[in-house]
Short mmCIF file of all heavy atoms in Angstrom, two decimals:
data_model
loop_
_atom_site.label_atom_id
_atom_site.label_comp_id
_atom_site.label_asym_id
_atom_site.label_seq_id
_atom_site.Cartn_x
_atom_site.Cartn_y
_atom_site.Cartn_z
N THR A 76 -4.09 12.41 -29.46
CA THR A 76 -3.56 12.40 -28.10
C THR A 76 -3.58 13.82 -27.57
O THR A 76 -3.24 14.76 -28.28
CB THR A 76 -2.12 11.85 -28.08
OG1 THR A 76 -2.12 10.52 -28.60
CG2 THR A 76 -1.57 11.81 -26.66
N THR A 77 -3.99 13.94 -26.33
CA THR A 77 -4.08 15.26 -25.71
C THR A 77 -3.66 15.17 -24.25
O THR A 77 -3.53 14.08 -23.69
CB THR A 77 -5.51 15.84 -25.84
OG1 THR A 77 -5.49 17.19 -25.42
CG2 THR A 77 -6.49 15.05 -24.99
N THR A 78 -3.47 16.30 -23.63
CA THR A 78 -3.16 16.37 -22.21
C THR A 78 -4.37 16.96 -21.48
O THR A 78 -4.90 17.99 -21.90
CB THR A 78 -1.93 17.26 -21.94
OG1 THR A 78 -0.81 16.70 -22.62
CG2 THR A 78 -1.63 17.36 -20.46
N ALA A 79 -4.77 16.30 -20.43
CA ALA A 79 -5.85 16.80 -19.58
C ALA A 79 -5.23 17.14 -18.23
O ALA A 79 -4.46 16.36 -17.67
CB ALA A 79 -6.94 15.76 -19.42
N THR A 80 -5.58 18.30 -17.71
CA THR A 80 -5.08 18.76 -16.42
C THR A 80 -6.26 19.17 -15.56
O THR A 80 -7.15 19.89 -16.01
CB THR A 80 -4.13 19.95 -16.58
OG1 THR A 80 -3.06 19.57 -17.46
CG2 THR A 80 -3.55 20.39 -15.25
N ALA A 81 -6.27 18.70 -14.32
CA ALA A 81 -7.34 19.03 -13.38
C ALA A 81 -6.74 19.72 -12.17
O ALA A 81 -5.62 19.39 -11.75
CB ALA A 81 -8.08 17.77 -12.95
N GLU A 82 -7.49 20.65 -11.62
CA GLU A 82 -7.07 21.33 -10.40
C GLU A 82 -8.19 21.29 -9.38
O GLU A 82 -9.36 21.21 -9.73
CB GLU A 82 -6.69 22.78 -10.70
CG GLU A 82 -5.46 22.91 -11.55
CD GLU A 82 -5.05 24.35 -11.79
OE1 GLU A 82 -5.72 25.26 -11.28
OE2 GLU A 82 -4.05 24.55 -12.49
N GLY A 83 -7.80 21.33 -8.13
CA GLY A 83 -8.79 21.33 -7.05
C GLY A 83 -8.10 21.11 -5.72
O GLY A 83 -6.88 21.15 -5.61
N ARG A 84 -8.91 20.85 -4.75
CA ARG A 84 -8.40 20.59 -3.39
C ARG A 84 -8.45 19.09 -3.12
O ARG A 84 -9.26 18.38 -3.68
CB ARG A 84 -9.22 21.34 -2.37
CG ARG A 84 -9.09 22.85 -2.54
CD ARG A 84 -9.31 23.56 -1.23
NE ARG A 84 -9.12 24.99 -1.40
CZ ARG A 84 -8.04 25.63 -1.02
NH1 ARG A 84 -7.06 24.99 -0.45
NH2 ARG A 84 -7.95 26.93 -1.19
N ILE A 85 -7.59 18.69 -2.22
CA ILE A 85 -7.55 17.30 -1.79
C ILE A 85 -8.03 17.27 -0.34
O ILE A 85 -7.79 18.22 0.42
CB ILE A 85 -6.14 16.71 -1.97
CG1 ILE A 85 -6.15 15.20 -1.90
CG2 ILE A 85 -5.15 17.33 -1.01
CD1 ILE A 85 -4.89 14.57 -2.44
N GLY A 86 -8.73 16.23 0.03
CA GLY A 86 -9.25 16.14 1.39
C GLY A 86 -9.13 14.75 1.95
O GLY A 86 -8.71 13.81 1.28
N VAL A 87 -9.52 14.63 3.21
CA VAL A 87 -9.51 13.34 3.90
C VAL A 87 -10.95 13.01 4.27
O VAL A 87 -11.65 13.82 4.88
CB VAL A 87 -8.64 13.39 5.17
CG1 VAL A 87 -8.73 12.09 5.94
CG2 VAL A 87 -7.20 13.70 4.82
N GLU A 88 -11.38 11.82 3.88
CA GLU A 88 -12.69 11.29 4.27
C GLU A 88 -12.44 9.93 4.91
O GLU A 88 -11.95 9.02 4.24
CB GLU A 88 -13.61 11.16 3.06
CG GLU A 88 -13.97 12.50 2.43
CD GLU A 88 -14.83 12.36 1.18
OE1 GLU A 88 -15.34 11.25 0.93
OE2 GLU A 88 -14.97 13.36 0.47
N GLU A 89 -12.77 9.85 6.21
CA GLU A 89 -12.45 8.64 6.98
C GLU A 89 -10.94 8.42 6.87
O GLU A 89 -10.18 9.28 7.23
CB GLU A 89 -13.26 7.44 6.48
CG GLU A 89 -14.76 7.61 6.60
CD GLU A 89 -15.26 7.60 8.04
OE1 GLU A 89 -14.75 6.82 8.85
OE2 GLU A 89 -16.14 8.41 8.35
N ALA A 90 -10.52 7.27 6.37
CA ALA A 90 -9.09 6.98 6.21
C ALA A 90 -8.72 6.94 4.73
O ALA A 90 -7.96 6.08 4.28
CB ALA A 90 -8.74 5.66 6.89
N THR A 91 -9.27 7.89 3.96
CA THR A 91 -9.04 7.94 2.52
C THR A 91 -8.70 9.36 2.09
O THR A 91 -9.35 10.31 2.49
CB THR A 91 -10.31 7.46 1.77
OG1 THR A 91 -10.67 6.16 2.24
CG2 THR A 91 -10.08 7.40 0.28
N LEU A 92 -7.65 9.47 1.26
CA LEU A 92 -7.27 10.73 0.65
C LEU A 92 -8.10 10.85 -0.63
O LEU A 92 -8.07 9.95 -1.47
CB LEU A 92 -5.78 10.70 0.33
CG LEU A 92 -5.07 11.99 0.03
CD1 LEU A 92 -5.17 12.97 1.20
CD2 LEU A 92 -3.62 11.71 -0.30
N VAL A 93 -8.85 11.95 -0.79
CA VAL A 93 -9.81 12.07 -1.89
C VAL A 93 -9.54 13.33 -2.70
O VAL A 93 -9.40 14.42 -2.14
CB VAL A 93 -11.26 12.12 -1.34
CG1 VAL A 93 -12.26 12.30 -2.46
CG2 VAL A 93 -11.57 10.87 -0.54
N PHE A 94 -9.49 13.15 -4.03
CA PHE A 94 -9.37 14.29 -4.95
C PHE A 94 -10.50 14.24 -5.96
O PHE A 94 -10.65 13.27 -6.70
CB PHE A 94 -8.03 14.28 -5.69
CG PHE A 94 -7.93 15.33 -6.76
CD1 PHE A 94 -7.95 16.68 -6.42
CD2 PHE A 94 -7.84 14.99 -8.09
CE1 PHE A 94 -7.87 17.66 -7.41
CE2 PHE A 94 -7.76 15.96 -9.08
CZ PHE A 94 -7.77 17.30 -8.75
N SER A 95 -11.31 15.29 -5.96
CA SER A 95 -12.37 15.49 -6.96
C SER A 95 -12.11 16.86 -7.57
O SER A 95 -12.23 17.87 -6.89
CB SER A 95 -13.75 15.46 -6.32
OG SER A 95 -14.00 14.21 -5.73
N PRO A 96 -11.75 16.90 -8.85
CA PRO A 96 -11.33 18.18 -9.44
C PRO A 96 -12.44 19.21 -9.51
O PRO A 96 -13.60 18.88 -9.75
CB PRO A 96 -10.86 17.78 -10.84
CG PRO A 96 -11.37 16.42 -11.09
CD PRO A 96 -11.67 15.79 -9.79
N ASP A 97 -12.04 20.47 -9.30
CA ASP A 97 -12.94 21.61 -9.47
C ASP A 97 -13.03 21.99 -10.94
O ASP A 97 -14.06 22.43 -11.43
CB ASP A 97 -12.43 22.83 -8.70
CG ASP A 97 -12.42 22.61 -7.20
OD1 ASP A 97 -13.24 21.82 -6.71
OD2 ASP A 97 -11.57 23.23 -6.53
N ARG A 98 -11.88 21.86 -11.64
CA ARG A 98 -11.78 22.31 -13.02
C ARG A 98 -10.89 21.36 -13.80
O ARG A 98 -9.89 20.87 -13.29
CB ARG A 98 -11.18 23.71 -13.01
CG ARG A 98 -11.20 24.39 -14.35
CD ARG A 98 -10.60 25.79 -14.28
NE ARG A 98 -9.16 25.65 -14.52
CZ ARG A 98 -8.25 26.32 -13.85
NH1 ARG A 98 -8.58 27.14 -12.89
NH2 ARG A 98 -6.98 26.17 -14.13
N VAL A 99 -11.24 21.09 -15.08
CA VAL A 99 -10.42 20.28 -15.97
C VAL A 99 -10.14 21.09 -17.23
O VAL A 99 -11.07 21.63 -17.84
CB VAL A 99 -11.12 18.95 -16.34
CG1 VAL A 99 -10.28 18.16 -17.34
CG2 VAL A 99 -11.40 18.11 -15.10
N ASP A 100 -8.87 21.21 -17.60
CA ASP A 100 -8.46 21.87 -18.83
C ASP A 100 -7.94 20.82 -19.79
O ASP A 100 -7.16 19.93 -19.39
CB ASP A 100 -7.36 22.91 -18.56
CG ASP A 100 -7.85 24.06 -17.69
OD1 ASP A 100 -9.00 24.50 -17.89
OD2 ASP A 100 -7.07 24.50 -16.83
N ILE A 101 -8.35 20.92 -21.06
CA ILE A 101 -7.97 19.92 -22.05
C ILE A 101 -7.39 20.62 -23.27
O ILE A 101 -7.95 21.58 -23.77
CB ILE A 101 -9.20 19.09 -22.47
CG1 ILE A 101 -9.80 18.43 -21.24
CG2 ILE A 101 -8.83 18.05 -23.51
CD1 ILE A 101 -11.24 18.08 -21.38
N GLU A 102 -6.23 20.10 -23.72
CA GLU A 102 -5.64 20.59 -24.96
C GLU A 102 -6.34 19.87 -26.11
O GLU A 102 -6.50 18.66 -26.08
CB GLU A 102 -4.15 20.27 -25.00
CG GLU A 102 -3.33 21.00 -23.96
CD GLU A 102 -1.87 20.56 -23.99
OE1 GLU A 102 -1.49 19.73 -24.83
OE2 GLU A 102 -1.12 21.05 -23.13
N GLY A 103 -6.75 20.59 -27.13
CA GLY A 103 -7.36 19.96 -28.30
C GLY A 103 -8.85 19.74 -28.11
O GLY A 103 -9.50 20.35 -27.27
N SER A 104 -9.39 18.81 -28.90
CA SER A 104 -10.84 18.62 -28.95
C SER A 104 -11.33 17.34 -28.31
O SER A 104 -12.50 17.02 -28.39
CB SER A 104 -11.30 18.66 -30.42
OG SER A 104 -10.67 17.61 -31.13
N VAL A 105 -10.46 16.58 -27.71
CA VAL A 105 -10.87 15.33 -27.07
C VAL A 105 -11.56 15.66 -25.75
O VAL A 105 -11.02 16.39 -24.93
CB VAL A 105 -9.67 14.39 -26.82
CG1 VAL A 105 -10.08 13.15 -26.06
CG2 VAL A 105 -9.00 14.04 -28.14
N GLY A 106 -12.76 15.14 -25.55
CA GLY A 106 -13.49 15.39 -24.31
C GLY A 106 -13.06 14.44 -23.21
O GLY A 106 -12.85 13.26 -23.45
N VAL A 107 -12.93 14.95 -22.00
CA VAL A 107 -12.51 14.14 -20.86
C VAL A 107 -13.41 14.49 -19.67
O VAL A 107 -13.49 15.65 -19.28
CB VAL A 107 -11.04 14.41 -20.47
CG1 VAL A 107 -10.64 13.61 -19.25
CG2 VAL A 107 -10.12 14.10 -21.63
N PRO A 108 -14.10 13.51 -19.09
CA PRO A 108 -14.90 13.81 -17.91
C PRO A 108 -14.00 14.10 -16.70
O PRO A 108 -12.92 13.52 -16.57
CB PRO A 108 -15.71 12.54 -17.68
CG PRO A 108 -14.93 11.46 -18.35
CD PRO A 108 -14.19 12.11 -19.49
N ALA A 109 -14.44 15.00 -15.84
CA ALA A 109 -13.66 15.35 -14.65
C ALA A 109 -13.36 14.13 -13.79
O ALA A 109 -12.29 14.03 -13.19
CB ALA A 109 -14.38 16.41 -13.84
N ALA A 110 -14.28 13.18 -13.75
CA ALA A 110 -14.10 11.98 -12.93
C ALA A 110 -12.90 11.16 -13.38
O ALA A 110 -12.34 10.38 -12.60
CB ALA A 110 -15.36 11.13 -12.95
N ALA A 111 -12.45 11.33 -14.63
CA ALA A 111 -11.30 10.56 -15.13
C ALA A 111 -10.02 10.95 -14.40
O ALA A 111 -9.07 10.18 -14.37
CB ALA A 111 -11.15 10.76 -16.63
N LEU A 112 -9.99 12.14 -13.81
CA LEU A 112 -8.80 12.58 -13.10
C LEU A 112 -8.98 12.59 -11.59
O LEU A 112 -8.09 12.97 -10.85
CB LEU A 112 -8.39 13.97 -13.59
CG LEU A 112 -7.89 13.98 -15.04
CD1 LEU A 112 -7.84 15.39 -15.59
CD2 LEU A 112 -6.55 13.32 -15.15
N ALA A 113 -10.14 12.15 -11.12
CA ALA A 113 -10.38 12.03 -9.68
C ALA A 113 -9.70 10.77 -9.16
O ALA A 113 -9.45 9.83 -9.91
CB ALA A 113 -11.88 11.98 -9.40
N PHE A 114 -9.38 10.75 -7.87
CA PHE A 114 -8.84 9.53 -7.29
C PHE A 114 -9.12 9.47 -5.80
O PHE A 114 -9.42 10.47 -5.16
CB PHE A 114 -7.33 9.38 -7.55
CG PHE A 114 -6.47 10.48 -6.99
CD1 PHE A 114 -6.12 10.50 -5.64
CD2 PHE A 114 -6.00 11.49 -7.81
CE1 PHE A 114 -5.32 11.50 -5.12
CE2 PHE A 114 -5.18 12.50 -7.30
CZ PHE A 114 -4.84 12.50 -5.96
N GLU A 115 -9.05 8.25 -5.28
CA GLU A 115 -9.14 7.99 -3.85
C GLU A 115 -8.00 7.07 -3.48
O GLU A 115 -7.74 6.09 -4.18
CB GLU A 115 -10.48 7.34 -3.49
CG GLU A 115 -11.66 8.25 -3.70
CD GLU A 115 -12.97 7.63 -3.23
OE1 GLU A 115 -12.96 6.48 -2.74
OE2 GLU A 115 -14.00 8.31 -3.36
N VAL A 116 -7.32 7.40 -2.39
CA VAL A 116 -6.18 6.61 -1.92
C VAL A 116 -6.42 6.22 -0.47
O VAL A 116 -6.52 7.09 0.39
CB VAL A 116 -4.87 7.41 -2.04
CG1 VAL A 116 -3.71 6.64 -1.45
CG2 VAL A 116 -4.59 7.78 -3.49
N PRO A 117 -6.53 4.90 -0.20
CA PRO A 117 -6.66 4.49 1.20
C PRO A 117 -5.38 4.81 1.98
O PRO A 117 -4.28 4.54 1.50
CB PRO A 117 -6.91 2.98 1.12
CG PRO A 117 -6.60 2.57 -0.27
CD PRO A 117 -6.52 3.79 -1.13
N LEU A 118 -5.55 5.40 3.14
CA LEU A 118 -4.41 5.76 3.98
C LEU A 118 -4.09 4.61 4.94
O LEU A 118 -5.01 3.98 5.48
CB LEU A 118 -4.71 7.04 4.75
CG LEU A 118 -4.93 8.28 3.87
CD1 LEU A 118 -5.46 9.44 4.68
CD2 LEU A 118 -3.64 8.65 3.15
N PRO A 119 -2.82 4.34 5.16
CA PRO A 119 -2.44 3.21 6.00
C PRO A 119 -2.79 3.41 7.47
O PRO A 119 -2.87 4.52 7.97
CB PRO A 119 -0.93 3.10 5.81
CG PRO A 119 -0.49 4.42 5.30
CD PRO A 119 -1.66 5.04 4.60
N ASP A 120 -2.99 2.31 8.15
CA ASP A 120 -3.29 2.28 9.57
C ASP A 120 -1.95 2.26 10.32
O ASP A 120 -1.48 1.22 10.76
CB ASP A 120 -4.12 1.04 9.89
CG ASP A 120 -4.70 1.06 11.28
OD1 ASP A 120 -4.76 2.16 11.89
OD2 ASP A 120 -5.10 -0.01 11.77
#
Side-chain angles (χ1 to χ4, degrees):
T76 301
T77 189
T78 299
T80 303
E82 293 183 1
R84 296 208 177 257
I85 196 164
V87 175
E88 295 177 13
E89 299 291 321
T91 304
L92 196 60
V93 178
F94 173 65
S95 298
D97 296 332
R98 188 180 89 221
V99 177
D100 295 321
I101 302 157
E102 294 176 2
S104 61
V105 176
V107 178
L112 292 166
F114 61 79
E115 293 185 0
V116 175
L118 297 170
D120 191 18

